[in-house]
Amino acid sequence: TNYIPPGRALSFDGTDDKVTLDSVEAFNFGTGAYTIETWFKVTDLSTSRVLIADFNGGTTGSQGVYIQTDGHIAAYIGSNTPDLTTTDPVELDTWYHFALVRAGDSAVIYLNGELVANQSGLGARDLQSATAMTIGQQPSGSPFYFAGDIDELRIWNDARTVVEIQEYISTTVPEDSENLLAYYRFDLQSGTDLPDRSITNIPGTWSGAAGANTVPNWVVSGALADLEPSITVTSPNGGNTYSVGDEVEILWQEFNVEASDSIAISLSVEDSPYALITKGISSDFNQTYTWMVPDSVSNTALIQIENTTAGVNDESNNYFMIEAFVEPSVTVTSPNGGEFMEIGTSETITWQA
């Protein structure tokens, strides 16, 4: 049954609160794919804060998600240096949905359902920590205790797509979902035991009675919020070069958009006002449109996608180029007339294309 917010969350005091999950082996993903997603609200960044980690004190084999003092989120995947870091900082006292996805030698971070960091070429990182996965604390070395609230933590043993992540951002997930390895709802009033709602059943245990929270501080949650609709242009997104007459796939991502919402696709060249290319409803486009590049040669072209129903839009991050179409041609340069050649001799034929 899907839960209608507000539910409950666990508030961490930033001093010694943590939840230790009751398995080491379950979260040793090896070189396989996995996803970690959760809602959080951080209240203090006087030091770095840990969302979840199984750091073992070594240089390989463990992982963790940290919020740095500047508000950027950093993910460590089998290393002791950040493998990917978000560009924009999170704000204090604000609820966010976070997701880290690892597949092969690549990893991505989504924040509120939008791609905010990606990294490839990580190699075959073998995640085999001997330390238990811990919520709100780095279990080895500096603890970096989390300060704030955490809710709806889900760990999957597959690489969730952005569509799958967005589908359940604002609601709970079915407890028997395929590839759901662990699921912590946090919907409790008291007690130190954190149940796992997945069929795997890996519970967690709270500790931290020496700090401000002498018992677990279960609070009203701000998670599962109905997030604002958004649109993100993904292609063309800058640096591309097309020729007049080319067929180009315009791609974008939609979040929290109704199927019946009106979508307008427009082009700007040489910093002119946007001119409409086409319009329709979201369900007709399915976040893609095949565009015939017009005879509008420009070094400063931009695409804009606008949801006119919800009043949100996005444009290419940087300019792309539209070049004039050049007819293919071949010009023979030799022999080109007037040459004398003897029978049986070898001659070089040359041309320009």
Side-chain angles (χ1 to χ4, degrees), residues 45-85:
L45 286 174
S46 57
T47 184
S48 294
R49 303 294 184 180
V50 170
L51 281 174
I52 187 169
D54 65 0
F55 180 62
N56 57 15
T59 59
T60 61
S62 57
Q63 60 180 303
V65 178
Y66 300 70
I67 306 174
Q68 300 171 334
T69 56
D70 58 7
H72 297 101
I73 303 174
Y76 297 69
I77 303 171
S79 67
N80 61 355
T81 57
D83 290 300
L84 66 167
T85 305

Coordinates of all heavy atoms in Angstrom, one line a residue, residues 45-85:
L45 N 26.3 21.8 8.5 CA 27.4 21.4 7.7 C 28.7 22.0 8.2 O 29.6 22.4 7.4 CB 27.2 21.7 6.2 CG 26.2 20.9 5.4 CD1 25.9 21.4 4.1 CD2 26.6 19.4 5.4
S46 N 28.9 22.1 9.5 CA 30.1 22.5 10.1 C 31.2 21.5 9.8 O 32.4 21.8 9.9 CB 29.9 22.8 11.5 OG 29.5 21.7 12.2
T47 N 30.8 20.3 9.5 CA 31.8 19.2 9.1 C 31.1 18.4 8.0 O 29.8 18.6 7.8 CB 32.2 18.3 10.3 OG1 33.1 17.4 9.8 CG2 30.9 17.6 10.8
S48 N 31.8 17.6 7.3 CA 31.1 16.7 6.3 C 30.2 15.8 7.1 O 30.4 15.4 8.2 CB 32.2 15.9 5.6 OG 33.0 16.7 4.8
R49 N 29.1 15.4 6.4 CA 28.1 14.5 7.0 C 27.9 13.3 6.1 O 27.9 13.4 4.9 CB 26.8 15.3 7.1 CG 26.9 16.5 7.9 CD 27.2 16.3 9.4 NE 27.2 17.5 10.2 CZ 27.5 17.6 11.5 NH1 27.8 16.5 12.1 NH2 27.5 18.7 12.1
V50 N 27.7 12.1 6.7 CA 27.5 10.9 6.0 C 26.0 10.5 5.9 O 25.4 10.5 7.0 CB 28.3 9.7 6.7 CG1 27.9 8.4 6.1 CG2 29.8 9.9 6.6
L51 N 25.6 10.2 4.7 CA 24.3 9.6 4.6 C 24.3 8.1 4.9 O 23.5 7.6 5.7 CB 23.7 9.9 3.2 CG 23.1 11.3 2.9 CD1 22.8 11.4 1.5 CD2 21.9 11.5 3.8
I52 N 25.2 7.4 4.2 CA 25.3 6.0 4.3 C 26.7 5.6 3.9 O 27.3 6.2 2.9 CB 24.2 5.2 3.5 CG1 24.3 3.7 3.9 CG2 24.3 5.5 2.1 CD1 23.1 3.0 3.3
A53 N 27.4 4.7 4.6 CA 28.7 4.3 4.2 C 29.0 2.9 4.9 O 28.5 2.5 5.9 CB 29.7 5.3 4.7
D54 N 30.0 2.2 4.2 CA 30.6 1.0 4.9 C 32.1 1.1 4.8 O 32.8 0.1 4.7 CB 30.0 -0.3 4.2 CG 30.5 -0.5 2.8 OD1 31.2 0.4 2.2 OD2 30.1 -1.5 2.2
F55 N 32.6 2.3 4.9 CA 34.1 2.6 4.8 C 34.8 1.7 5.8 O 34.5 1.7 7.0 CB 34.4 4.0 5.0 CG 35.8 4.4 4.9 CD1 36.5 4.2 3.7 CD2 36.5 4.8 6.0 CE1 37.8 4.5 3.6 CE2 37.9 5.1 5.9 CZ 38.5 5.0 4.7
N56 N 35.8 1.0 5.2 CA 36.5 0.0 6.0 C 37.9 0.4 6.5 O 38.7 -0.4 7.0 CB 36.6 -1.3 5.3 CG 37.3 -1.2 3.9 OD1 38.0 -0.1 3.7 ND2 37.2 -2.1 3.0
G57 N 38.2 1.7 6.2 CA 39.5 2.2 6.6 C 40.6 2.0 5.6 O 41.7 2.5 5.8
G58 N 40.3 1.2 4.5 CA 41.3 1.0 3.5 C 41.1 1.9 2.3 O 40.3 2.9 2.3
T59 N 41.7 1.5 1.2 CA 41.6 2.4 0.0 C 40.7 1.8 -1.0 O 40.4 2.4 -2.0 CB 43.0 2.5 -0.6 OG1 43.6 1.3 -1.0 CG2 43.9 3.3 0.3
T60 N 40.3 0.5 -0.9 CA 39.4 -0.1 -1.8 C 38.3 -0.9 -1.1 O 38.4 -1.2 0.1 CB 40.2 -1.1 -2.8 OG1 40.8 -2.1 -2.0 CG2 41.3 -0.3 -3.5
G61 N 37.3 -1.3 -1.9 CA 36.3 -2.3 -1.4 C 35.1 -1.7 -0.7 O 34.2 -2.4 -0.5
S62 N 35.2 -0.4 -0.3 CA 34.0 0.1 0.4 C 33.4 1.3 -0.4 O 33.9 1.7 -1.4 CB 34.5 0.5 1.8 OG 35.5 1.5 1.7
Q63 N 32.3 1.8 0.2 CA 31.6 2.9 -0.5 C 31.0 3.8 0.5 O 30.9 3.5 1.7 CB 30.5 2.3 -1.4 CG 29.5 1.5 -0.6 CD 28.4 0.9 -1.4 OE1 27.7 1.6 -2.1 NE2 28.3 -0.4 -1.4
G64 N 30.5 5.0 0.1 CA 29.9 5.9 1.0 C 29.3 7.1 0.2 O 29.8 7.4 -0.9
V65 N 28.3 7.7 0.8 CA 27.7 9.0 0.3 C 27.9 10.0 1.4 O 27.4 9.8 2.5 CB 26.3 8.8 -0.1 CG1 25.7 10.1 -0.6 CG2 26.1 7.7 -1.2
Y66 N 28.5 11.2 1.0 CA 28.8 12.2 2.0 C 28.3 13.5 1.5 O 28.3 13.8 0.3 CB 30.3 12.3 2.1 CG 31.0 11.1 2.7 CD1 31.1 9.9 1.9 CD2 31.5 11.0 4.0 CE1 31.8 8.8 2.3 CE2 32.2 9.9 4.4 CZ 32.3 8.8 3.6 OH 32.9 7.6 4.1
I67 N 27.9 14.4 2.4 CA 27.6 15.8 2.1 C 28.7 16.6 2.6 O 29.0 16.6 3.8 CB 26.2 16.2 2.7 CG1 25.1 15.3 2.3 CG2 25.9 17.7 2.2 CD1 23.8 15.6 2.9
Q68 N 29.4 17.3 1.7 CA 30.6 18.0 2.1 C 30.2 19.4 2.8 O 29.0 19.8 2.7 CB 31.5 18.3 0.9 CG 32.0 17.0 0.3 CD 32.7 17.2 -1.1 OE1 32.4 18.2 -1.7 NE2 33.6 16.3 -1.4
T69 N 31.2 20.0 3.4 CA 30.9 21.3 4.1 C 30.4 22.4 3.2 O 29.7 23.3 3.6 CB 32.1 21.8 4.9 OG1 33.2 21.9 3.9 CG2 32.5 20.8 6.0
D70 N 30.7 22.3 1.9 CA 30.2 23.3 0.9 C 28.8 22.9 0.4 O 28.3 23.6 -0.5 CB 31.2 23.5 -0.2 CG 31.5 22.2 -1.0 OD1 30.8 21.1 -0.7 OD2 32.4 22.2 -1.8
G71 N 28.2 21.8 0.8 CA 26.9 21.4 0.4 C 26.9 20.5 -0.8 O 25.8 20.0 -1.2
H72 N 28.0 20.2 -1.4 CA 28.0 19.3 -2.5 C 28.0 17.8 -2.0 O 28.6 17.5 -1.0 CB 29.3 19.5 -3.4 CG 29.3 20.9 -4.0 ND1 30.1 21.9 -3.5 CD2 28.7 21.4 -5.1 CE1 29.9 23.0 -4.2 NE2 29.1 22.7 -5.2
I73 N 27.3 17.0 -2.8 CA 27.2 15.5 -2.4 C 28.3 14.8 -3.1 O 28.5 14.9 -4.4 CB 25.9 15.0 -2.8 CG1 24.8 15.8 -2.1 CG2 25.8 13.5 -2.4 CD1 23.4 15.4 -2.5
A74 N 29.1 14.0 -2.4 CA 30.2 13.2 -3.0 C 29.9 11.7 -2.8 O 29.5 11.3 -1.7 CB 31.5 13.6 -2.4
A75 N 30.2 10.9 -3.8 CA 30.0 9.5 -3.7 C 31.4 8.8 -3.9 O 32.1 9.2 -4.8 CB 29.0 9.0 -4.7
Y76 N 31.6 7.9 -3.0 CA 32.9 7.1 -3.1 C 32.5 5.6 -3.5 O 31.6 5.0 -2.8 CB 33.6 7.1 -1.7 CG 34.1 8.4 -1.3 CD1 33.2 9.4 -0.9 CD2 35.4 8.7 -1.2 CE1 33.6 10.6 -0.5 CE2 35.9 9.9 -0.7 CZ 35.0 10.9 -0.4 OH 35.5 12.1 0.1
I77 N 33.1 5.1 -4.5 CA 32.7 3.8 -5.0 C 34.0 2.9 -5.1 O 34.7 3.0 -6.1 CB 32.0 3.8 -6.3 CG1 30.8 4.7 -6.2 CG2 31.7 2.4 -6.8 CD1 30.1 5.0 -7.5
G78 N 34.3 2.2 -4.0 CA 35.6 1.4 -4.0 C 36.8 2.2 -4.0 O 37.9 1.7 -4.5
S79 N 36.8 3.4 -3.4 CA 38.0 4.2 -3.4 C 37.9 5.1 -2.1 O 36.9 5.2 -1.5 CB 38.1 5.1 -4.6 OG 37.1 6.1 -4.7
N80 N 39.0 5.8 -1.8 CA 39.0 6.7 -0.7 C 39.1 8.2 -1.1 O 39.4 9.1 -0.3 CB 40.1 6.4 0.3 CG 41.5 6.5 -0.3 OD1 41.6 6.8 -1.5 ND2 42.5 6.4 0.5
T81 N 38.8 8.4 -2.4 CA 38.6 9.8 -2.9 C 37.3 9.8 -3.7 O 36.8 8.8 -4.2 CB 39.8 10.2 -3.9 OG1 39.9 9.2 -4.9 CG2 41.1 10.2 -3.1
P82 N 36.7 11.0 -3.8 CA 35.3 11.1 -4.4 C 35.4 10.7 -5.9 O 36.3 11.1 -6.6 CB 35.0 12.6 -4.3 CG 35.8 13.1 -3.1 CD 37.1 12.3 -3.2
D83 N 34.5 9.8 -6.3 CA 34.4 9.4 -7.7 C 33.5 10.3 -8.5 O 33.7 10.5 -9.7 CB 33.9 8.0 -7.8 CG 35.0 7.0 -7.2 OD1 36.1 7.0 -7.8 OD2 34.7 6.3 -6.3
L84 N 32.5 10.9 -7.9 CA 31.7 11.9 -8.5 C 31.1 12.8 -7.5 O 30.8 12.4 -6.3 CB 30.6 11.3 -9.4 CG 29.5 10.4 -8.8 CD1 28.4 10.2 -9.9 CD2 29.9 9.1 -8.3
T85 N 30.9 14.0 -7.8 CA 30.5 15.1 -6.9 C 29.5 16.0 -7.6 O 29.7 16.3 -8.8 CB 31.7 15.9 -6.4 OG1 32.7 15.1 -5.9 CG2 31.2 16.9 -5.4

